[in-house]
């Protein structure tokens, strides 16, 4: 009997779009190009809820990496938006150091995801490398080195564009029927059967 299962879309195209766009608008704010309004709106709606939905769809697809990344960073954007709003209206005000510790724990989580990203493909690895670097720079900015905010902005703009590249890779692959935007090989390659057997022989 023929398989008549309806094909489903890839939730990564939404998750990566939300992550990239919200990251971009925050960096525009950090560079003094726009106010907080667009950051909070995108952080709640696109970077937040849309990424959460994408993450739950990754769960259904059995993709733990995408599930963790999209749900976690969706939650990050919503939490950051709440912090920014609370500061704006004087509710549970967070100091630069408070926000710094918030960023530090996210840096640690991102390092774990960075290691896993190296086994996915080159574009994913480069995106998470830039994200780790951006988080570290923002950590420094909130613990006494405010000039690092603008440096982080440029690094994270590149990170956001990397995320959009991966999004475009998935969309173009389906639309054009070929790999228009290659994502590269994983930085950490899996061992082949022959390599594993060679290690066993040497041991």
């Amino acid at each position: 009997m023929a398989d008549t299962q309806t094909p489903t879309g890839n939730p990564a195209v939404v998750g990566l779009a939300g992550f990239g766009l919200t990251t971009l608008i925050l960096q525009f704010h950090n560079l003094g190009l726009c106010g907080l309004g667009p950051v909070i709106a995108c952080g709640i709606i696109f970077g937040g809820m849309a990424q959460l939905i994408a993450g739950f769809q990754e769960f259904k697809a059995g993709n733990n990496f995408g599930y963790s990344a999209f749900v976690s960073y969706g939650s990050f954007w919503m939490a950051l938006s709440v912090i920014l709003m609370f500061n704006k209206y004087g509710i549970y005000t967070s100091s630069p150091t408070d926000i710094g510790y918030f960023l530090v724990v996210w840096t640690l989580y991102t390092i774990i995801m960075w290691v896993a990203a190296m086994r996915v493909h080159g574009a994913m690895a480069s995106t998470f490398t830039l994200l780790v670097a951006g988080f570290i720079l923002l950590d420094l900015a909130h613990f006494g080195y405010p000039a690092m905010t603008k440096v982080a902005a440029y690094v994270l703009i590149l990170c956001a564009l990397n995320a959009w590249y991966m999004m475009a890779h998935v969309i173009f692959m389906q639309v054009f029927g070929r790999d228009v935007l290659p994502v590269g090989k994983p930085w950490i390659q899996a061992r082949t059967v022959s390599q594993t057997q060679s290690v066993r022989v040497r041991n």
Side-chain angles (χ1 to χ4, degrees):
M1 188 174 182
D3 184 9
T4 58
Q5 183 178 0
T6 303
T8 58
N10 188 336
V13 298
V14 173
L16 291 168
F19 174 82
L21 188 145
T22 312
T23 301
L24 274 177
I25 199 66
L26 176 60
Q27 305 325 310
F28 291 163
H29 168 72
N30 286 339
L31 292 173
L33 301 176
C34 71
L36 273 177
V39 177
I40 293 173
C42 288
I44 293 173
I45 304 300
F46 201 19
M49 286 194 292
Q51 269 205 94
L52 285 176
I53 293 169
F56 297 145
Q57 293 300 315
E58 291 283 16
F59 167 78
K60 292 180 180 179
N63 181 0
N64 281 330
F65 182 87
Y67 177 35
S68 180
F70 292 141
V71 172
S72 297
Y73 291 116
S75 301
F76 165 84
W77 284 116
M78 296 178 81
L80 181 61
S81 296
V82 170
I83 290 172
L84 295 174
M85 284 193 294
F86 279 4
N87 274 5
K88 174 70 175 178
Y89 296 106
I91 307 169
Y92 300 119
T93 303
S94 299
S95 67
T97 302
D98 293 335
I99 297 174
Y101 281 112
F102 171 80
L103 293 172
V104 164
V105 294
W106 279 102
T107 304
L108 297 175
Y109 167 78
T110 301
I111 289 171
I112 295 171
M113 297 301 289
W114 172 55
V115 174
M118 294 185 199
R119 281 286 292 117
V120 180
H121 50 61
M124 188 70 75
S126 64
T127 299
F128 272 88
T129 299
L130 290 165
L131 187 56
V132 168
F135 266 122
I136 291 172
L137 290 166
L138 287 175
D139 296 341
L140 294 172
H142 285 81
F143 286 104
Y145 301 92
M148 292 296 102
T149 299
K150 287 193 174 182
V151 180
Y154 292 115
V155 171
L156 290 170
I157 285 172
L158 291 176
C159 175
L161 295 177
N162 265 250
W164 273 0
Y165 179 93
M166 289 189 289
M167 173 198 70
H169 159 76
V170 176
I171 293 172
F172 291 174
M173 178 81 80
Q174 183 180 45
V175 171
F176 294 104
R178 58 189 177 86
D179 194 0
V180 178
L181 298 174
V183 291
K185 295 180 179 179
W187 289 4
I188 300 176
Q189 299 286 335
R191 283 182 173 176
T192 63
V193 174
S194 60
Q195 287 174 326
T196 304
Q197 290 174 342
S198 175
V199 170
R200 287 175 180 169
V201 169
R202 286 199 301 269
N203 290 341

